[in-house]
Amino acid sequence: MIHGADCHRGASLEATLNTVRADSKGWICRSGEWHTGEPAAWLKFDAPADPFSAQPTELFLRLAQIESIEIYSIKDGREIAYQSHSGAAIRPADNGPYVAVPLPGTGLKAETFYVRLVGANYAATGADARLIHSAATAGWPEHYTIIVGAIFGLVCAPLFLNLTLFPALQRSFMLYHAGMSLGMLMTLSAASGLATGMLGLDTYALVTLTEIGYVLIVALGGFFAATFLEQGAISPVVRRALKGSGLLALVIAGGIAAGIPPFSWLGRTIFLLAFFPICFASLAAMAQAVQRGSLWVRYQIAAWTPAIIVGLDMTATGLGLQAEPRWGVLAPFLAMGFEVVVTGIGVAHRLVLLRRERDDAQSEARILEKLSERDPMTGLYNRRALEDRIEALHKSGHDTFALLDLDEFKQVNDTAGHGVGDDVIRVAADVLQSDEHSLAIRLGGEEFMLVMKGGDAADRAEQLRKAITLRVAREVDGLERLVTASMGLAVIPYSAVPNSSFEDLYALTDKLLYEAKESGRNRTVSQKLRAFRKRGQDRRGQSEAVRAA
């Protein structure tokens, strides 16, 4: 491999080879410096004086969009060969972010090569240009390709994780992180040679893919930070600045990278400068979040610090402030891999907490729902719970419905006090829920309902009614008289009366309860229905004997 350019200079588009050769003062021949500031950049390569050394065959330089490359071979002070390559003919290298173009061949061994670069999208495009003998042995080392391939696989994980979990958790930062991961994959595939080998993309397409990838990484990074950091970690102004600067980078830098008019006319300097607002907004957000004790900003700082350092290094190179990236050509990809790992850990941590919060919220909602279906004093189901379940219970064989009311309960409260009255209610509820084949409901006050199943349900209901009097007398002190209960009971087969509503069943049992009260209280009036019509219609049934205490 031949060493890199010995000298370089800038010139106007009208300047010819003879013009730039004659102007010795315009050449910069000091290593580590790169500056042109002109539309065309000229490179000068002096071939080794050794007559036995092999003639170089190709020009190798950094991947870039270049309108044209002109190469002049010089021997004994005169031009012996010339070759020009347009942008479409500049082919990408197979390994690494480079392009390679053939040198003009004449059979004569050149002493000097002059290269003219026109329309390069970055000021320092030719800074690391060199002449080589074979593109197969140039580019970056094989282990670089392995590293980039590993990073490529690493980046796929958060992309699929975020897209898979988003429908369940629906947090916007997951989509922004997926977009950042997509941008990384685009950049990695263009730089590693994957896009060249698999898709056959040309140099212009690869550069466009790389730049759009960087735009997605940086621009969506602002949206990600604005939605990932806790609500109180940054002020509304800073949060809006993150989103606004991210949108600015997405529109301007993205428009330039994609070649969309009028953005494509702004130039590559504006492309690079469009990233500065989001960098400043991100630094301000992280500083404020640290001050406010944010947990998630720690992941942001750890993940983004290498990326910001490398990004500034790349920007300085792209603006022509330095000849080559100080951190090397592999540094951006290592920074991507590090960002993916650290941010991925932060996102996973956040998702675990979100899942836990969601589960806790659902558990709390279930508890509240259960509480809303329970009577707080007795623990029995309330009317709402029965209304939601009445159809299913009736269909499952619960065909006996009994409405109970404690007789003259107001006198208990008036003579013994409301505290004793509450104790009576609790004992009555405890009696009614003791039957394992029935569901006891407190409808309000001293009124209860039993929904029962079994051929002996009516007998069991009567036993429970009588047991209330015995249990209350034994367990509640301060009563001046026995507490009795009246009950209206109806056996309503589901096959005879399908789809009955709670209101219909309540109306029937309430009518029977009223008859029991009117008949002297402390008794049950029951009815077994052969057919049953809705409220407002005729009912046909067979009344059974009135059971008195």
Side-chain angles (χ1 to χ4, degrees), residues 182-194:
L182 179 62
M184 293 180 188
L185 292 176
M186 293 169 65
T187 301
L188 288 166
S189 60
S192 63
L194 290 174

Side-chain angles (χ1 to χ4, degrees), residues 450 452 457-467 487 489 522-524 547-549:
L450 287 172
M452 312 180 74
D459 294 333
R460 299 197 326 267
E462 179 64 12
Q463 293 172 6
L464 293 174
R465 185 189 70 80
K466 293 178 178 180
M487 182 169 68
L489 183 147
N522 191 23
R523 66 195 62 211
T524 295
R547 297 189 180 94

Side-chain angles (χ1 to χ4, degrees), residues 3 37 59 64 101 163 179 221 231 262 297 315-316 319 352 378 384 413 427 486 506 518 530:
H3 59 74
L59 171 69
V101 294
L163 294 179
Q231 189 64 31
V297 76
T315 301
L319 292 173
V352 169
T378 63
R384 173 187 172 185
N413 286 330
V427 171
S486 299
Y506 179 82
E518 289 295 303
R530 296 189 301 270

Side-chain angles (χ1 to χ4, degrees), residues 2 46 104 110 118 170 177 187 199 265 335 357 418 438 456 518 524:
I2 305 300
D46 290 327
V118 177
Q170 295 187 351
H177 192 239
T187 301
L199 304 178
W265 305 328
E357 291 173 2
H418 287 279
S438 66
D456 61 344
E518 289 295 303
T524 295

Side-chain angles (χ1 to χ4, degrees), residues 104-436:
T106 63
L108 298 175
K109 187 173 183 182
E111 297 172 348
T112 306
F113 293 92
Y114 286 91
V115 177
R116 181 176 183 251
L117 304 177
V118 177
N121 60 341
Y122 292 111
T125 296
D128 59 351
R130 54 195 184 271
L131 302 183
I132 61 172
H133 297 94
S134 172
T137 58
W140 56 20
E142 184 178 350
H143 66 276
Y144 278 27
T145 303
I146 297 175
I147 292 173
V148 173
I151 297 174
F152 187 94
L154 196 64
V155 174
C156 291
L159 175 64
F160 292 122
L161 177 67
N162 283 296
L163 294 179
T164 301
L165 295 181
F166 177 77
L169 299 178
Q170 295 187 351
R171 293 296 188 273
S172 57
F173 71 82
M174 300 172 67
L175 292 182
Y176 296 135
H177 192 239
M180 294 170 63
S181 301
L182 179 62
M184 293 180 188
L185 292 176
M186 293 169 65
T187 301
L188 288 166
S189 60
S192 63
L194 290 174
T196 305
M198 297 177 62
L199 304 178
L201 300 182
D202 59 21
T203 302
Y204 266 65
L206 288 177
V207 173
T208 300
L209 189 67
T210 302
E211 292 180 346
I212 292 177
Y214 280 126
V215 170
L216 290 177
I217 295 169
V218 177
L220 295 183
F223 288 93
F224 173 78
T227 53
F228 181 70
L229 296 176
E230 302 93 327
Q231 189 64 31
I234 53 177
S235 66
V237 173
V238 173
R239 200 176 297 274
R240 286 195 294 270
L242 283 170
K243 293 182 178 180
S245 58
L247 182 61
L248 181 71
L250 191 64
V251 173
I252 295 180
I256 295 173
I260 302 174
F263 301 106
S264 58
W265 305 328
L266 296 177
R268 296 298 163 174
T269 299
I270 301 299
F271 172 82
L272 295 170
L273 294 179
F275 293 122
F276 277 80
I278 185 64
C279 291
F280 293 139
S282 298
L283 292 173
M286 288 190 287
Q288 189 177 76
V290 168
Q291 186 180 16
R292 296 188 178 188
S294 168
L295 169 64
W296 308 119
V297 76
R298 302 173 189 175
Y299 292 102
Q300 295 288 96
I301 293 174
W304 286 11
T305 298
I308 291 175
I309 294 174
V310 173
L312 292 175
D313 183 43
M314 294 172 62
T315 301
T317 305
L319 292 173
L321 302 179
Q322 60 189 26
E324 297 184 46
R326 296 182 181 275
W327 300 102
V329 70
L330 190 62
F333 311 113
L334 294 175
M336 287 183 197
F338 185 78
E339 192 279 338
V340 165
V341 171
V342 177
T343 304
I345 293 173
V347 170
H349 186 187
R350 184 73 179 274
L351 295 181
V352 169
L353 293 183
L354 286 173
R355 180 67 179 270
R356 188 178 302 167
E357 291 173 2
R358 189 193 69 174
D359 292 344
D360 291 344
Q362 291 177 343
S363 177
E364 183 177 355
R366 287 192 293 269
I367 292 173
L368 291 175
E369 183 179 1
K370 289 181 179 179
L371 290 175
S372 69
E373 294 181 343
R374 294 282 185 174
D375 171 53
M377 178 186 294
T378 63
L380 298 182
Y381 281 108
N382 57 25
R383 175 171 179 158
R384 173 187 172 185
L386 181 58
E387 288 176 342
D388 293 339
R389 294 172 171 81
I390 191 68
E391 173 70 15
L393 288 169
H394 199 184
K395 188 179 294 186
S396 67
H398 291 75
D399 56 2
T400 300
F401 302 89
L403 186 63
L404 291 92
D405 185 84
L406 301 182
D407 297 326
E408 298 179 334
F409 185 73
K410 184 177 181 299
Q411 293 184 12
V412 175
N413 286 330
D414 293 341
T415 58
H418 287 279
V420 174
D422 290 346
D423 290 340
V424 172
I425 295 292
R426 294 188 187 95
V427 171
D430 188 55
V431 171
L432 294 177
Q433 66 182 340
S434 63
D435 188 282
E436 61 181 8

